[in-house]
Structures are given as structure tokens and as C-alpha cells.
């Protein structure tokens, strides 16, 4: 059931050829409740393969997916209209955090910043109390999208 839904969702949101890779990746994806956090890091890829930075950039700017710019500024994405300042600028973020830390932050920010953070956990079922009923049991991003976002963040070096 879940796998079927995940395929449907990723088909809708990434029309650009990700379909086939999503199908291939699903068998190996770590389930959100099974992600292993060790000292505020997630060492292993959630999909067993590397992310795609270009795809990750699309997820970061997409208002219905990452929507990261609602809270973060990214100078490299200046052409996007609105950048919020609720969170720190992501410029140079790859110099401040290792990939395994970035994966932990994007997967479930609460594991790194604590339960009070306003940043959503993008691959967590523990998203808070005010979740729309139809979203219960779903993650905001797929495992592949998390890996793609992490790959994109890795490009943000000073
Ligand atoms: C609702 C606001 C919000 C959204 C949306 C959001 N974040 Fe955050 N983020 C924060 C806040 C606030 C912090 C600082 C930690 C804290 O105070 O909780 C943070 C911290 C971070 C950090 C650590 C930055 C540093 O330099 O220390 C990274 C990396 C990050 N966010 C990535 C992302 C990505 C990638 C997305 C989109 C997939 C995203 N965030 C979406 C609010 C947000």
C-alpha cells in the first residue's frame, strides 16, 4: 500500500524521468521509522545510492516540496523571489556540516536541533500535532528526494 502511494506521489512531483529510478530505488529505501541516527548523524544513504544535486535544487525551491526558501536564504538561488530568514542562510552550509549531519538535519531536524525546532522533519513520521489527517503516515519528501537535497547542500561551499 505505502509503496504504491509513494510511486504515485513521486510520479506526480517529478515528471522528469525520476519515475524509473524511483521504481528501482523503492525496494532498498530505508523506511522513515527505521532511519538510524547516531550522534546526530545518519551515515548511510536512505536509498543506497548517491543523490542528484540538480534534482535536489528543484526540491529545495519547490514550494510544495522542500520549500526551504520559506525559511532559508541561498545566495546561489537569488533568482527565486522570496527567501525567508527564520533559519540561518544556507550559504557555505557544506563547510559547517558533514554529509551525514546534513542527511540527519533534512531527514528529521528534531534529532539535531531538538523538539522545539520549527524546521520540519522531511523524512519523518513525527511531524507534529497539527498534521492534516490525509498526511498522517506520510513523509514530506521521499528517501530519494532527501538524498538529492543533501547532494545539493553539498554544493553550497564558501
Ligand atoms: C519552517 C522553517 C524552515 C524550513 C521550511 C526549513 N528550515 Fe532548515 N532550519 C530552520 C531553522 C529555524 C534552523 C536553525 C535550527 C533551529 O533553530 O531550529 C534550520 C537549520 C537548517 C540547517 C543547518 C544550517 C546551519 O548552518 O546551521 C540546514 C542545513 C537546513 N536547515 C536545511 C534545510 C533544508 C534543506 C530545507 C528544505 C528541505 C529546510 N531547511 C527547511 C527552519 C526551516
Amino acid at each position: 500500500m505505502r509503496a504504491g502511494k509513494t510511486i504515485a506521489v513521486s510520479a506526480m512531483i517529478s515528471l522528469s524521468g525520476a519515475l524509473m529510478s524511483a521504481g528501482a530505488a523503492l525496494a532498498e529505501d530505508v523506511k522513515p521509522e527505521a532511519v538510524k541516527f547516531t550522534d546526530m548523524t545518519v551515515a548511510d544513504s536512505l536509498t543506497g545510492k548517491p543523490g542528484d544535486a540538480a534534482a535536489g535544487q528543484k526540491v529545495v525551491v519547490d514550494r510544495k516540496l522542500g520549500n526551504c526558501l520559506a525559511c532559508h536564504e541561498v545566495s546561489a538561488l537569488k533568482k527565486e523571489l522570496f527567501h525567508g530568514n527564520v533559519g540561518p542562510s544556507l550559504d557555505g552550509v557544506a563547510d559547517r556540516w558533514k554529509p551525514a549531519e546534513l542527511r540527519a538535519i533534512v531527514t528529521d531536524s528534531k534529532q539535531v536541533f531538538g523538539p522545539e525546532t520549527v524546521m520540519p522533519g522531511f523524512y519523518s513520521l513525527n511531524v507534529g500535532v497539527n498534521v492534516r489527517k490525509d498526511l498522517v503516515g506520510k513523509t514530506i519528501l521521499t528517501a530519494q528526494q532527501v538524498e538529492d537535497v543533501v547532494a545539493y547542500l553539498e554544493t553550497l561551499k564558501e
Side-chain angles (χ1 to χ4, degrees), residues 89-103:
S89 165
L90 297 183
D91 291 359
V93 81
D95 299 322
R96 296 192 289 278
W97 301 89
K98 299 192 195 74
E101 294 169 328
L102 291 172
R103 182 178 293 109

Side-chain angles (χ1 to χ4, degrees), residues 16 23 32 50 58-60 75 91 93 96 105 124 128-129 148 154:
S16 56
K58 288 190 192 133
V59 174
V60 164
S75 298
D91 291 359
V93 81
R96 296 192 289 278
I105 292 171
S124 165
V129 285
D148 293 345
E154 275 299 291

Side-chain angles (χ1 to χ4, degrees), residues 66 68 71-72 86-88 90 93 96-97 113 117-119 122 149:
C68 314
C71 296
H72 294 283
V86 175
L90 297 183
V93 81
R96 296 192 289 278
W97 301 89
F113 303 131
T117 185
V118 295
M119 178 165 161
F122 286 92
V149 167

Side-chain angles (χ1 to χ4, degrees), residues 1-15 19 22 26:
M1 281 297 275
R2 277 190 51 85
K5 269 183 199 152
T6 311
I7 291 173
V9 170
S10 45
M12 283 190 312
I13 51 199
S14 54
L15 299 166
L19 237 184
L26 276 175

Side-chain angles (χ1 to χ4, degrees), residues 15-84:
L15 299 166
S16 56
L19 237 184
M20 278 164 59
S21 56
L26 276 175
E28 301 167 40
D29 285 357
V30 178
K31 295 217 159 39
E33 59 273 30
V35 178
K36 222 178 118 215
F37 289 84
T38 314
D39 294 335
M40 304 201 296
T41 68
V42 176
D44 299 326
S45 162
L46 302 178
T47 60
K49 41 177 212 169
D52 170 2
Q57 178 176 325
K58 288 190 192 133
V59 174
V60 164
V61 300
D62 192 315
R63 302 289 171 196
K64 296 201 177 93
L65 290 175
N67 198 17
C68 314
L69 301 183
C71 296
H72 294 283
E73 191 185 10
V74 182
S75 298
L77 300 175
K78 267 226 168 71
K79 65 177 194 317
E80 301 295 329
L81 285 182
F82 176 80
H83 294 226

